Amino acid sequence: MANFNTHLNTAVIITGLSSAALLSAGHIDLNSALWLWFLGSIGGLLPDIDSDNSTSLDTIFNLFALCAVLIVMHYITTELIIQISFVELVVVPLLVYGFMKYVIRPIFEWFTVHRGSCHSLLFILLCALLTTQVTWQLNDQSTIYSATFAWLTGGFIVLGGLIHLLLDEIYSVDLSNVEIKRSFGTALKIANFDNKLITLASVIAIAGLIYAAPPTMQTITLLSDWSRFKLIS
């Protein structure tokens, strides 16, 4: 299979070009383009989160922990509308980070095996819909753009994830000897049907996320207009 640098570099290039195209067409602003580029790059590492000793796992869980800290602090300061002390500003993030690293990560590692459920289209779709929902909830839902941006964040997770799975399948073919390795077919699969419980839970979660997802018609209408796109000036 492809290594960490191959996954990361390929995802960075393709998602970077994609976000630049959206920016050129006027669909997003610069800050949104950079955020989508970042999410697409993370999506390119996401399937390897099931590898207990991989660089991808360390990178992604550190980013997950950081996101969890930001979400908790955002909730405390905006939803609860309370003023917190300097000590609390230090202690709360440390507690959230420690919970993610020393509780959530070991549980996740215990449940998963490499090239299992995480190396599937079902897992990528679940992550994309989760990203869409979180983005939708954290932004002002009264604006037209918020739904579009939420769907774009999920779309870039899908794009990065597909890049990862396709690279793993491509690297499963030994072109020098024109033979297929034993790992072929273990990356790009619809779901891991060997683990029926996780697959069923994922399907139920996806159905719930689709039901609660932001509206799509405005997003489709906005993204269908590419009249402002310029390849060169």
Side-chain angles (χ1 to χ4, degrees):
M1 63 181 180
N3 59 26
F4 175 84
N5 288 332
T6 301
H7 283 308
L8 179 61
N9 292 335
T10 305
V12 164
I13 293 171
I14 295 178
T15 59
L17 291 173
S18 301
S19 63
L22 290 169
L23 179 62
S24 177
H27 294 320
I28 55 176
D29 57 25
L30 179 59
N31 289 335
S32 298
L34 293 174
W35 180 240
L36 292 176
W37 188 9
F38 169 76
L39 288 177
S41 302
I42 295 303
L45 304 176
L46 201 55
D48 274 348
I49 196 174
D50 60 6
S51 179
D52 293 351
N53 298 312
S54 72
T55 305
S56 296
L57 177 66
D58 293 334
T59 302
I60 293 171
F61 251 97
N62 284 334
L63 291 171
F64 279 173
L66 175 60
C67 289
V69 169
L70 294 176
I71 290 172
V72 170
M73 297 305 294
H74 173 81
Y75 176 78
I76 291 174
T77 56
T78 60
E79 299 296 330
L80 299 182
I81 316 177
I82 59 175
Q83 185 175 1
I84 57 178
S85 66
F86 173 77
V87 173
E88 290 170 327
L89 284 172
V90 175
V91 172
V92 171
L94 288 176
L95 288 175
V96 175
Y97 181 84
F99 179 75
M100 291 293 295
K101 184 176 180 63
Y102 298 109
V103 178
I104 299 299
R105 176 171 173 170
I107 293 174
F108 184 85
E109 291 177 355
W110 184 74
F111 269 106
T112 58
V113 294
H114 189 46
R115 290 217 169 185
S117 298
C118 294
H119 265 81
S120 69
L121 298 177
L122 195 68
F123 176 74
I124 297 301
L125 179 59
L126 176 61
C127 292
L129 289 171
L130 278 171
T131 304
T132 300
Q133 186 61 223
V134 170
T135 305
W136 172 242
Q137 293 298 325
L138 291 179
N139 284 281
D140 184 3
Q141 299 179 10
S142 63
T143 63
I144 297 176
Y145 179 69
S146 62
T148 300
F149 181 65
W151 280 115
L152 283 173
T153 58
F156 269 72
I157 291 292
V158 169
L159 178 59
L162 285 176
I163 291 169
H164 182 109
L165 299 182
L166 287 170
L167 281 173
D168 276 349
E169 292 297 357
I170 291 171
Y171 273 72
S172 294
V173 179
D174 187 352
L175 296 178
S176 60
N177 292 323
V178 194
E179 64 179 5
I180 297 177
K181 302 177 183 177
R182 293 180 61 185
S183 59
F184 183 78
T186 60
L188 186 57
K189 54 183 178 286
I190 296 176
N192 180 26
F193 294 107
D194 291 335
N195 196 326
K196 295 179 176 59
L197 181 61
I198 291 181
T199 299
L200 177 61
S202 298
V203 170
I204 294 172
I206 287 172
L209 288 168
I210 291 175
Y211 177 79
T216 58
M217 288 307 300
Q218 295 170 337
T219 302
I220 294 172
T221 302
L222 180 65
L223 295 181
S224 62
D225 181 13
W226 286 80
S227 59
R228 295 171 59 186
F229 175 77
K230 290 185 178 180
L231 185 61
I232 56 176
S233 58

